[in-house]
Amino acid sequence: MPFQRFGILGALAVLAVTAQVSRPASPPTKVDVPRHRHALARDVRVRPDGSVTSSNWSGYVVTAPVGSVTDAKASWTVPAVVCSGSSGNSYSAFWVGIDGYPHTAPTLEQIGTESDCEDGAPTYYAWYEFLPNQPNEQIIGKFPIHPGDKILAEVSFSGGQFTVTITDERTGRSVSTSQPPDFSGAMQSTVEWIAEAPAISTVIQPLADFGTVVYGNDYTNITNTCDATVGAQTGPIGSLPNSFPITMVNSDNGTIEAIPSPLSSDGSSFSVTWQGLTTLLGFNGADGALPLAGLVQATNGNFYGTAQIGGANGYGTVFKISPTGTLTTLHSFCSQSGCTDGEYPAAGLVQANNGDLYGTTVYGGANNDGTVFKITPSGTLTTLYSFCSQSGCTDGQYPYAGLNQAANGDFYGTTVCGGANAGTFCAGAGTVFKITPSGALTTLYSFCSQSGCTDGYGPAGLVQATNGDLYGTTGYGGTNSKGGTVFKITPSGALTTLYSFCSQSGCTDGYGPAGLVQATNGDLYGTTGYGGTNSKGGTVFKITPSGALTTLYSFCSQSGCTDGYGPAGLVQATNGDLYGITGYGGANTNPDVPAGGGTVFKITPSGKLTTLYSFCSQSGCTDSALPVGVIQATGGDLYGTTVYDNCASNGCAGTVFKITPSGALTTLYSFCAQSGCADGSTPAARLVQATNGDLYGTTELYGANGDGTVFRLSVGLGP
């Protein structure tokens, strides 16, 4: 069966099938003994694709013949770090230097700035270093800097001596110093423009969340940076031979920590983005638990979501969280006598055209059969409708799926039970309903209206097509009993069963459909969790708006199901192809996941499928297993999560990954990397890309208080 996680409301899900950092007036002054060492590049690796990584450096490097480098300039804007009282100490350094990239002599001449978090508070200062004679940073006193300051720095060699200079364009202050008298042995063979995770003694320290730091004239308006003089040639990075970017990768778990952008058209400007994960919130039960439905970013920039349980009364919450992590519990369900305001919100929220947010609870309400509610961005909740308000629950029960606001302004949704007709598992076979923003509900259709439930039962969510009609699936019923259906319903309520699955011998067309998405060609695409030509594999299908269905692919078509099985979560990318995941199968197995770790696949609109990646490909399954789904973000790459949490290593608590449209996968973060899994475990829903370019998501388990988390992952996508 396709892998799905539905928390305490799983039974109903089966019925439905899927059914700030302030700018200090005066930055702290460091008075302690310098501890940091801005070290040579460590753990340098050249990857099979030619990219270069290091465990402590990210930025750009130029290599040159020994003795040929005589000058290096850079400009950058001091980034603000995000600190929290519970995050401990973390550090980040930004500099220009000569030497330091691996060579036979351990020399490095450099000058830069620091943006640190110490005891939960931001600290900023300037420093220089001459290795090996000065093994720790030399702090530049009486040189205060602030986030946002534009820095010009230079390392030069003349008359047998190195000189380092730093200028703050905001204050106009400039400081210059030269190497110690006994300094010798410099190779003068590399130039570096680097964002670094500094070391204390020999131990690389946690990298501070600096967001994105920008270098070069395009960003700072300081000309002739980032430039270097190599032999007789002076020019920007991109004009120099043997220049290349370097990415910071954690040597313990293989996750990316900072990544440089390509050079801009001027050949010198670039950015480096902190790519770590920030746990913005650890739910503690009292403010909610099990945030399974994911987040939605509202037009005010804040994120809104639901926690399935917890809150002041234990029955779930609606919450708001700012992009930097300030949580407001907007409503705790069961706040009214008899829980008439609802219990257990399972689906996410949708922001309406009027700016308010709308959602559903599965239980509670005046009749304990679920509700539709409206909540303002500031937190005023109104129960718009309580299901089972009609005799025999002919208006439906248990609205498990979320709402869809149609072009006419009304909301459309489904209930998995109730309606005018008897069902197999509950008091009715489910309904499709319409509700106005003010709360007037109309039951548009009751399933099992036809003899033998040939119209299906147990509906999932809806999608509105470009023709104005709404399309959906039922998990059961149809002309072949167990197969399920695809249906179309007009906004006014006329329903047409477009296709009944298991119509072919052996159910080679699949059964148990879910997850429709309309492609740019106008057709709808979806998956079945079961069936196909290989019985258990499931399928990808295409169906026209008028109902002509084509089975595009049957999973488990390859020996050992190396192409995966149990597909879900289609999304169409900008290249026109569709991408999805399988919950099981793939080329690899593991003692803890003998069914296989699952896959990411691509399928063309015409049906050519390519397995892009099989999870559990790395020793110990450190790339994790059991993917949840993917989204396409700015830049064209796809991002997703895995939920595997069945073994001891960090990789087994789930991950966030990036995969290119052609299939190159990078594990961006492995959960449970912090003591006690304070960063969370088991990502619960698809990621959402915010307007600032970062990715936001939730974990189902752990966090500082054990009840799940909200996290942000900075990946350099930009706004």
Side-chain angles (χ1 to χ4, degrees), residues 650-674:
N650 289 349
C652 296
T655 66
V656 180
F657 64 85
K658 175 182 76 173
I659 188 166
T660 66
S662 59
L665 185 137
T666 304
T667 301
L668 299 178
Y669 190 81
S670 295
F671 287 94
C672 232
Q674 299 176 11

Side-chain angles (χ1 to χ4, degrees), residues 128 130 161-164 176-180:
Y128 66 91
F130 293 107
Q161 182 169 265
F162 284 97
T163 300
V164 293
S176 182
T177 189
S178 298
Q179 68 187 48

Side-chain angles (χ1 to χ4, degrees), residues 381-400:
L381 185 135
T382 304
T383 303
L384 296 177
Y385 192 81
S386 291
F387 287 94
C388 209
S389 290
Q390 300 174 7
S391 177
C393 297
T394 55
D395 54 339
Q397 298 172 280
Y398 315 137
Y400 191 88

Side-chain angles (χ1 to χ4, degrees), residues 686-700:
R686 280 191 185 182
L687 300 166
V688 58
Q689 186 181 12
T691 52
N692 64 7
D694 293 341
L695 301 172
Y696 288 74
T698 59
T699 67
E700 176 181 345

Side-chain angles (χ1 to χ4, degrees), residues 205-227:
Q205 297 300 296
L207 184 66
D209 177 2
F210 60 83
T212 297
V213 60
V214 293
Y215 293 79
N217 176 62
D218 280 358
Y219 299 109
T220 64
N221 294 318
I222 302 175
T223 58
N224 299 321
T225 61
C226 302
D227 286 14

